[in-house]
Every structure is written in C-alpha cells, then in structure tokens.
C-alpha cells in the first residue's frame, strides 16, 4: 500500500497528490511515468511523474478526472492509501546538450511539461514556455512555469485569461520572426501535439512529443501501447512504455494514435457514469 | 497387491460438457476421483529402468509416486513429487505430458500411456484439500538471494533455495505474484486459487515477495547486490509480443495475445462489470497455433464470441499446442483454418462521415492459402503461399499469437550481462550468466517455452546457487 502524503486541488478537475514510494522517488526523472491501481480490482493507469521529493521519498502526480479510475482516485484523501504504485517506467526526456528550448504544454499536460522546464532551467538552458488551457478556471501551475521560464506565454481557448488562441499561435510568431530553438518539447492532447509538429515543420526545428496511449503492464509485455512511426519512409512499430513515452514528433502517426485512443470510448463513458452514480448513492 | 490393470485405454478425464464450458470460466477438466486414480495407477508396470523419469524435465520419481497411489497413500505420493517439483498442482494441469513423461511410457507402445499428468494433478489436489498443515520455515543459513520475476522459474528457484535455508526475496513487476501463471494461462485451465496457494506455501517457507518492482527500472541488478544479496536469479520471462508487420495491425480490435489474455486473466475483464475493458463478442480470428493461441481463442469464446477461428499456416500435424488443449478447443466449436495466413487486416471507414465511431475498427481479414514445401532447418515442412489464393473473411477482433522477443530492460541496465543474437540471456549448464553470482532461466533465456522447462531451469540454478554460496 502506498500512502497519500499530500493532496491539492489545482482546478475543478485537476488534482495533485504526493505518494509515498521511496524507490520510485529515488529514480524517477522528468518524462518518466508510473502505473497505479487505486484499489484491489481497479484498472492499472499510467500517469507521468510531475516531480519527486527524494528526501521524503514521495512522488508527485497530477491528474485530470476523466474516467472511472481517476474519479475514484480523486476521492482518496491525505493519509489514505492506494493499492499499487510502480515505476519509474519509460525513458527520461533527453535533455543533454540543450541550450535553448521551447516547452509547450496543453491542459493537464502542463503537469508533465513543468518538471521538464524545471530540469532545463536548472541546467542553465534558456526556456521559453507556452501553456494553453480551455479557460481561466482550468489554468494550473502558472507560478511554477513563471519561475522556470525565461519567457512565458499563456493562452486560453476562450480568451478568459491572458491571450486568446491556440498554443501554436505564439510558436508560429516566434518562428516566423526568426526565433531559434534546439528543440521544441510538447506535451498535451494528441491533436495539439500534432499541430505543434505541423507548425514547426516548415522551420525544421526538432520536436519531441510525449505519447500517452492505453497501457496495461508498462514493461513491454502487452503491446497495447504500440504506435506507428514513419522512419525514413518505413513504418516501424514502437511500444510507448519501453521505447517512449517521448518520440520524434515528425515520425509519429498521430491520426492512428488518435483513433486507437478511442478504442474503449463507449466503455469508459459508461464506467465513468457508473462510478459517479455509485458515489452519489454513498453521499445520499 | 491387486493385479495390474491391463486396459489399453487410460481412464478418461472427467470434464465439463463442451457446450456448457464454452460459456463459463470454470475449470474444464474436473480431475480423477480416488477410485479412478487408483485404477489408473494400476496401469503402471513400475518399470525398473523408469523411462518416464527421463522424459521429465525435473526428474520426478514417477513410478515411486504411482506406487503410493496404488496403496492409497496419497500424501506419501505427494511427498515424493514435491521432492522434485515445487508446483505439482500447476504441472499436473499445464505440462505437455504427451511430449514428456508419457511419451516414454511402455504402456504407450500398445495402447495409451499411463495418465501420469492426471495422476500428478490428482495427488496435488488431494494434498491441497486434505493436508492443511503449514510447511515449516527452515532455519536461516544467513545467505540472501534475490529472484527476479515470480513466474514458474522464479517460484521454483525461490522454493528450492528457501527449503535449504536461504533468505529469498522475489521481485515482481506486476501487482500480483505468479507471472505467466496469472496473466497468461486462463482460469478455466489453471484456476488462480491454485497459483495463490502455491505462492502462499512459498511465503510460509519464508520467501518474501515484493510486488511492483520492475528490475531494470525500480532497482538494477547492481543495486540488488548493494542490498547484501549474494546471488541473483533472473526469471523475467519472455517479453515483448511480436506482430506480423502486415497492414492494419494497429486498427482498433487488434490485440497481441499477451494483451488480450492479460486483460481477461490478470485484470479480470471476464467478470461482470469489469474495470478494465476488453472487446467481446463478434467474430474473432486468432493467428498462431501454440498453447497461447488456444488460450486466447477459448477465452474469446467464453467472453461471448459468436465465432472463433484459429489461423495457422501449417497443418494440424505441425500444430505446436498441447494435444488436450487442441482437442478441447475443437470440442468447444473453435474453427481451425489451417494452411492459411493473414496478409492484411481491413478496417471500417465510412466515406461520408469521418466522425463515425465505427471508423478504424477491424471489419475483415485478408488471408492467403498455403501449402507445405521443403523441410526447413528445424525439420518442419516450410509453408509456401499459393499465388492468387487470397480471400477475405469478416472479423471484428484479431489476436496475434505469434511469439515474443526478449525484453531488453534488464540486459540494458546490467553491465556485463551477455545475450545471444535473439536477445536471450546466455547461460552455462548451471544457469550461470556471464556475470558472477547472476543466474538466469526460463523464457528470458530460451525464448517462449513451457512452464515445466522454466521450472527445470529454476531448479538447476537453485542447486548451482547453493553450491556457489556454500563454498
């Protein structure tokens, strides 16, 4: 069992938790993920590590309540335990030698982008961050990004805070003005990462994307997380859990990944509604 | 003693009716009664030269345990088996006996061999039902050994070492111990309660099991040595599933057998209101002819498929699965499409609606007929495509069961650990790797093989580790 040492509500649907897992805390690097089970018989879900406290042996996770399992997790309180917590899985984001980097996070993806920005900042790299949200209510981690970025652009879809528009808008402006980056690192919804990649393509800037497909074991055994890369005209199958989660954005078949991510859409909607009803009943 | 039973036929295994069991996850084979077991034991001639023992990868003293069954002393029979095997209830169920002990049985020359596997299972089940005494934890010899992976090789190695007084810790990547016995082999062939019982026995012998530890990630082999372990056994299993590389393998509804079975077995998707989803019903095509393919096909059927095909490129004769599983699959109504291979998986696309939720799901499979040609390097006739024989069948789910490639996780994080061209860890006859104090066995060494051969490797390594640490 793994104890929740801290819980913080970041916005109406996004929650931050620190979980006691000393072995994972000791090892985890930005870009890696963990898999957890909330209770006996719960689903295994992957979540990217949002930070570690090596002294206290805790791992920070930030998640959005999107389905039955994250809903269940959101009801857990400080001092309570979750059943399983395993990691760190996947490979860490390659940061060696980067001097000038653009970090682009979308929604809850910003939680994963933040430790990458932090690591780059601590390495002495020049960090430009673009973070995007649907609206002001959903904004998270503004202070953190401000302290780790040399330049910060905040975007909201509806214009309820900062600038209105997609994260690609300031990226395009910077690139058109001759802005140079060693690397663009983007983490967020698949559709956003696809458009970031397309925006960068004419300028030839390398793009790293962080993929988060359906997964079970997280050690390469099931192959459920496979995605197709186009490497020099050849199709190659890779497993996000062991080969990733980071990939070269220009090689990823985003359309296929988006289609695969909807494989259980129906099941998930029903499971989510059932869980909500269950908790409603308990409250009444 | 009563006269030998000279019946040419062995006692049949009582089983659930095919059409009933095809819709439930309860165990198919029900096991011998005491009377049947004694009657079957009487068929054993107790050959002096014991050819059957030669056929057993862990060298169980077969005629001796059968002699105890003849006398009705089932516990004595169990004690004889457990000297050589730490998982008798498992082996009695999943060993390919017809290729091992039973293939050497003298009675098999004229008639059927003695049902050795069935007798082993009977004895183990009898012990588990009637003998409730806990095993005694032996006195510690002060040596610490780590085992990576809690599948058949790891559990065997851990059990043998614990019995000798070693302090053994097993590190398991998943949330439950048992490895392939839990995530791979379905409930209807190997009830999970049996695996849990075997694991529990090991715990009582003093074996510690640490779940949620991925060696190579959470801990490395070197860090394990830093924690005062003096030897490490790697039994991390087969690894990454293979795909064919044909178009359409990433469509929704295409699974590796590992994923399909893990969802059903480990994550319990077969139960009502599961938390982990799985595609159920419709027409299912399983590609491959091994035990894993049979397990996947029969699981799909039990999940409610209207039609399940096994698609295998050779003929029935070359089918590598255990006989009993193939027989059971046929009885249950699984259709064997032999001498054919898939060339493409076709997905649904609504030309008028790119947002149609059915888009991107499997709709059909294109297959080509094969014929058997020249012998290959392993002496099997090589399947050759018959040009122009492609045709389509309608399917909703495709399960690829065409083997695995070794997982690079441990190799890539352990200096000095050598692997062969296929990625399997290289070991000598004692199971010792290229690193001192590091032993390995099971699928991590051989690539996908059987439970019993993994157990044999775990056993060999345990005795080598004992020798190494006793010096």
């Amino acid at each position: 069992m793994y104890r929740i040492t801290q819980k913080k509500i970041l916005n109406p649907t996004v929650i931050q938790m620190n979980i006691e897992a000393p072995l994972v805390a000791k090892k985890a690097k930005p870009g890696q993920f963990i898999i957890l089970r909330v209770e006996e018989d719960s689903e295994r879900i992957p979540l990217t590590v949002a930070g570690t406290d090596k002294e206290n042996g805790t791992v920070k996770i930030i998640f959005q309540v999107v389905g039955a399992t994250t809903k269940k997790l959101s009801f857990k309180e400080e001092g309570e335990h979750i059943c399983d917590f395993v990691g760190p899985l996947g490979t860490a984001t390659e940061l060696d030698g980067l001097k000038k980097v653009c970090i682009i996070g979308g929604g809850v993806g910003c939680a994963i982008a933040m430790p990458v920005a932090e690591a780059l900042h601590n390495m002495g790299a020049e960090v430009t961050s673009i973070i995007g949200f649907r609206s002001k209510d959903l904004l998270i981690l503004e202070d953190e990004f401000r302290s780790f970025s040399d330049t910060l652009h905040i975007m909201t879809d509806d214009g309820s805070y900062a600038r209105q528009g997609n994260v690609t808008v300031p990226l395009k402006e910077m690139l058109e003005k001759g802005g140079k980056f060693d690397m663009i690192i983007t983490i967020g919804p698949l559709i956003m990462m696809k458009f970031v990649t397309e925006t960068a393509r004419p300028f030839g800037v390398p793009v790293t994307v962080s993929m988060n497909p359906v997964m079970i074991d997280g050690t390469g055994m099931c192959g459920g997380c496979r995605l197709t890369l186009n490497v020099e005209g050849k199709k190659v199958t890779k497993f996000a859990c062991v080969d990733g989660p980071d990939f070269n954005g220009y090689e990823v078949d985003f359309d296929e990944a988006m289609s695969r991510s909807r494989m259980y859409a129906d099941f998930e909607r029903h499971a989510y509604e059932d869980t909500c009803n269950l908790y409603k009943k308990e409250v009444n | 003693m009563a006269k030998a039973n000279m019946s040419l036929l062995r006692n049949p295994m009582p089983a659930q009716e095919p059409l009933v069991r095809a819709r439930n996850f309860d165990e198919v084979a029900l096991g011998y009664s005491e009377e049947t077991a004694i009657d079957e034991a009487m068929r054993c001639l107790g050959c002096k030269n014991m050819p059957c023992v030669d056929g057993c990868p862990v060298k169980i003293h077969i005629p001796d345990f059968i002699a105890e069954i003849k006398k009705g002393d089932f516990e004595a029979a169990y004690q004889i088996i457990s000297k050589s095997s730490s998982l008798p209830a498992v082996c009695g169920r999943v060993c390919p006996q017809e290729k091992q002990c039973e293939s050497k049985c003298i009675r098999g020359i004229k008639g059927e061999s003695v049902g050795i596997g069935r007798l082993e299972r009977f004895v183990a089940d009898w012990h588990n039902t009637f003998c409730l005494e806990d095993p005694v934890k032996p006195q510690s010899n002060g040596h610490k050994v780590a085992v990576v992976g809690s599948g058949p090789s790891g559990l065997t190695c851990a059990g043998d070492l614990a019995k000798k007084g070693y302090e053994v810790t097993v590190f398991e990547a998943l949330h439950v111990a048992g490895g392939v016995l839990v995530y791979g082999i379905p409930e209807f062939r190997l009830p999970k309660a049996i695996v849990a019982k075997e694991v529990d026995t090991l715990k009582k012998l003093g074996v510690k099991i640490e779940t949620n530890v991925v060696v190579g990630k959470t801990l490395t082999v070197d860090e394990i040595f830093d924690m005062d372990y003096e030897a490490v056994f790697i039994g991390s299993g087969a690894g990454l599933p293979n795909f064919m590389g044909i178009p359409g393998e990433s469509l929704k509804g295409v699974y590796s057998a590992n994923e399909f079975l893990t969802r059903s077995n480990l994550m319990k998707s077969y139960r009502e209101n599961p938390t982990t989803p799985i595609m159920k019903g419709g027409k299912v095509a399983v590609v491959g002819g091994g035990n894993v393919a049979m397990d996947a096909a029969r699981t799909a059927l039990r999940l409610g498929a209207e039609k399940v095909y096994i698609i295998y490129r050779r003929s029935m004769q070359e089918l590598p699965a255990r006989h009993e599983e193939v027989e059971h699959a046929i009885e249950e109504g699984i259709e064997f499409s032999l001498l054919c291979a898939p060339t493409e998986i076709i997905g649904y696309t609504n030309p008028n609606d790119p947002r149609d939720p059915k888009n991107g799901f499997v709709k059909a499979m294109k297959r080509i007929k094969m014929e058997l040609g020249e012998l290959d390097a392993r002496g099997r006739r090589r399947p050759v495509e018959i040009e122009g024989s492609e045709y389509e069948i309608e399917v909703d789910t495709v399960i690829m069961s065409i083997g695995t490639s070794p997982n690079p996780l441990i190799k890539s994080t352990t200096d000095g650990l050598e692997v062969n061209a296929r990625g399997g860890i290289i070991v000598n006859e004692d199971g010792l790797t290229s690193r001192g104090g590091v032993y390995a066995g099971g699928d991590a060494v051989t690539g996908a093989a059987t439970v019993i051969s993994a157990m044999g490797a775990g056993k060999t390594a345990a005795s080598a580790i004992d020798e190494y640490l006793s010096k």
Side-chain angles (χ1 to χ4, degrees), chain B residues 292-357:
Chain B
V292 178
M294 299 304 133
D295 284 345
R298 298 169 69 198
T299 296
L301 190 69
R302 284 159 173 76
L303 286 170
E306 54 183 89
K307 183 91 211 160
V308 182
Y309 305 96
I310 288 273
I311 297 179
Y312 180 57
R313 60 199 181 129
R314 293 186 165 92
S315 71
M316 205 56 149
Q317 226 179 338
E318 290 83 16
L319 208 70
R322 198 171 171 255
H323 283 180
E324 194 179 69
E325 309 313 326
V326 177
E327 264 168 38
H328 281 160
I330 293 170
E331 286 169 12
E332 288 165 14
I334 286 171
E335 189 176 315
F336 283 71
S337 298
L338 302 165
L339 288 166
C340 78
T343 55
E344 185 183 349
I345 302 162
I346 300 159
Y348 180 87
T349 329
N350 182 339
N352 305 318
D353 183 6
R355 299 183 73 91
D356 187 331

Side-chain angles (χ1 to χ4, degrees), chain B residues 10 95-104 113 320-324:
Chain B
R10 61 169 88 184
C95 262
Q97 291 97 359
E98 75 272 7
K99 290 182 189 147
Q100 301 175 357
C101 52
E102 293 176 7
S103 74
K104 313 270 179 170
S113 65
R322 198 171 171 255
H323 283 180
E324 194 179 69

Side-chain angles (χ1 to χ4, degrees), chain A residues 27 87 219 221-222 226 264, chain B residues 218 223 249 255-256 258 407:
Chain A
K27 281 286 173 67
T219 63
M221 193 261 290
C222 84
R226 65 190 181 276
Y264 299 107
Chain B
T218 318
E223 286 167 325
E249 276 180 304
Y255 290 101
S256 74
N258 272 6
N407 195 327

Side-chain angles (χ1 to χ4, degrees), chain B residues 7 18 32 71 77 108 142 178-179 186 198 215 251 256 260 264-265 283 329 352 358 390 412 450-451 461 463:
Chain B
S7 160
Y32 279 167
K71 289 190 239 161
E198 302 281 10
V215 172
L251 289 166
S256 74
F260 189 75
S264 179
N265 299 332
K283 299 188 177 75
N352 305 318
K358 286 198 296 234
E390 272 185 318
S412 64
T450 59
V451 167
S463 98

Side-chain angles (χ1 to χ4, degrees), chain A residues 178-192:
Chain A
K180 294 269 183 283
F181 298 106
D182 299 333
M183 179 73 77
I184 296 168
I185 299 175
T186 179
I187 304 160
L190 289 167
I191 187 82
M192 181 199 92

Side-chain angles (χ1 to χ4, degrees), chain B residues 159-360:
Chain B
D160 279 17
L161 288 169
K163 284 179 196 158
K164 292 190 168 119
Y166 288 89
E167 290 179 25
V168 184
T169 305
V170 179
F171 296 105
E172 166 56 47
L174 291 172
H175 55 262
V176 55
V180 72
L181 306 175
V182 172
Y183 74 74
I185 303 177
E187 180 77 16
F188 57 84
R189 199 147 80 78
L190 177 63
K192 298 310 147 221
I194 288 172
V195 182
K197 168 110 184 133
E198 302 281 10
V199 171
D200 200 45
T201 304
L202 290 186
K203 284 186 187 161
K204 286 176 179 150
L205 285 169
V207 174
K208 287 198 204 87
I209 300 201
E210 300 272 358
T211 53
N212 296 327
V213 178
V214 181
V215 172
K217 288 287 178 190
T218 318
L219 286 175
T220 62
V221 169
D222 290 292
E223 286 167 325
I224 292 174
F225 278 115
D226 291 344
M227 293 156 71
D228 295 330
Y229 290 94
E230 296 163 78
V232 176
F233 173 78
I234 302 170
S236 52
L240 285 52
N242 294 338
F243 289 90
M244 294 183 72
I246 57 173
E249 276 180 304
S250 289
L251 289 166
K252 288 173 281 191
V254 183
Y255 290 101
S256 74
N258 272 6
E259 182 184 359
F260 189 75
L261 289 170
T262 301
R263 282 178 183 273
S264 179
N265 299 332
L266 177 73
M267 304 311 297
K268 313 284 178 214
S269 308
Y270 70 84
R271 291 186 184 161
E272 258 182 67
N273 300 318
T275 53
T276 299
I278 194 164
M279 285 185 58
K280 297 178 184 183
K283 299 188 177 75
V284 181
V286 180
V287 181
N291 285 320
V292 178
M294 299 304 133
D295 284 345
R298 298 169 69 198
T299 296
L301 190 69
R302 284 159 173 76
L303 286 170
E306 54 183 89
K307 183 91 211 160
V308 182
Y309 305 96
I310 288 273
I311 297 179
Y312 180 57
R313 60 199 181 129
R314 293 186 165 92
S315 71
M316 205 56 149
Q317 226 179 338
E318 290 83 16
L319 208 70
R322 198 171 171 255
H323 283 180
E324 194 179 69
E325 309 313 326
V326 177
E327 264 168 38
H328 281 160
I330 293 170
E331 286 169 12
E332 288 165 14
I334 286 171
E335 189 176 315
F336 283 71
S337 298
L338 302 165
L339 288 166
C340 78
T343 55
E344 185 183 349
I345 302 162
I346 300 159
Y348 180 87
T349 329
N350 182 339
N352 305 318
D353 183 6
R355 299 183 73 91
D356 187 331
K358 286 198 296 234
N359 284 345

